[in-house]
Amino acid sequence: MFIVDVIKKEDAESELKLIYKMIEKSLGFVPKHFELFATINIEAMKEFVAYNQKILTHEKIDKDLLPYLRLEIAKRECREYCIAFNNEMIKKSQSKYDMSQEILLQKVLKAIYKSKNFGSEDLKELDKAGFHAKDFFDLLSYATDFMAKSKLIEVYTK
């Protein structure tokens, strides 16, 4: 699947084995692209895991929103692996994000894909909906990080 041989969970040793255990505890499995990232750059993988743990426990962002955001970006960016992965994550979780999060989702997508049309009024609308500039920034940062990671996966997938 990838153009490099990855270190699989069952072959991991020492630090990588601990990282895989932490991922498996959180997700229930170790995704293939996590094995790819860990094989290529374990330090970047540790940062990635820490960052994801932080966003999953964000006080204002519903963790159930994240796979829907990733799926929407993956569709727009034509990232086949990420489309399939996030569809599967949504199907497995069988949960839907709180609809109060919809405005946050839509504003992040607007900022990414129609950034010339995004402005202070959008931030004011988010504020009225109970989201602060930091909440928006945190989800936008997560989304743009996902875009970069999805491109890395695409490059290494054949």
Side-chain angles (χ1 to χ4, degrees), residues 58 60-61 104 107-108 118-120 122-128 130-141:
H58 195 285
K60 290 282 192 118
I61 299 170
L104 188 56
K107 295 298 182 183
V108 166
F118 186 87
S120 61
D122 293 292
L123 293 176
K124 287 177 186 171
E125 288 177 37
L126 283 166
D127 193 54
K128 285 179 188 173
F131 297 105
H132 302 293
K134 183 185 179 314
D135 304 322
F136 169 75
F137 179 87
D138 290 347
L139 192 58
L140 179 61
S141 179

Side-chain angles (χ1 to χ4, degrees), residues 17-153:
K17 190 173 192 167
L18 292 174
I19 292 170
Y20 282 169
K21 280 185 180 182
M22 190 169 63
I23 294 166
E24 191 168 38
K25 184 179 178 185
S26 176
L27 296 177
F29 69 106
V30 178
K32 293 183 185 317
H33 60 284
F34 283 30
E35 292 174 341
L36 171 69
F37 295 155
T39 299
I40 294 171
N41 186 335
I42 193 166
E43 292 304 315
M45 182 63 197
K46 289 191 298 191
E47 291 171 10
F48 176 72
V49 169
Y51 181 71
N52 276 282
Q53 290 301 319
K54 187 175 179 183
I55 198 78
L56 286 171
T57 59
H58 195 285
E59 66 180 73
K60 290 282 192 118
I61 299 170
D62 182 349
K63 67 179 177 51
D64 292 329
L65 177 70
L66 303 176
Y68 290 93
L69 172 64
R70 293 189 309 258
L71 178 60
E72 186 59 38
I73 292 170
K75 287 177 180 177
R76 293 180 186 205
E77 299 293 318
C78 301
R79 305 280 197 260
E80 296 302 319
Y81 174 88
C82 295
I83 292 169
F85 178 81
N86 285 291
N87 268 325
E88 189 62 29
M89 292 294 290
I90 290 167
K91 189 175 165 183
K92 279 183 182 177
S93 75
Q94 296 182 335
S95 60
K96 182 81 167 128
Y97 58 90
D98 185 312
M99 288 311 292
S100 67
Q101 302 272 309
E102 183 66 24
I103 188 170
L104 188 56
L105 173 67
Q106 293 307 318
K107 295 298 182 183
V108 166
L109 292 171
K110 180 179 180 181
I112 293 170
Y113 294 106
K114 297 178 181 178
S115 56
K116 289 183 180 182
N117 297 329
F118 186 87
S120 61
E121 287 302 314
D122 293 292
L123 293 176
K124 287 177 186 171
E125 288 177 37
L126 283 166
D127 193 54
K128 285 179 188 173
F131 297 105
H132 302 293
K134 183 185 179 314
D135 304 322
F136 169 75
F137 179 87
D138 290 347
L139 192 58
L140 179 61
S141 179
Y142 176 82
T144 56
D145 186 62
F146 166 74
M147 293 172 80
K149 294 289 190 278
S150 70
K151 185 61 176 179
L152 287 171
I153 293 167

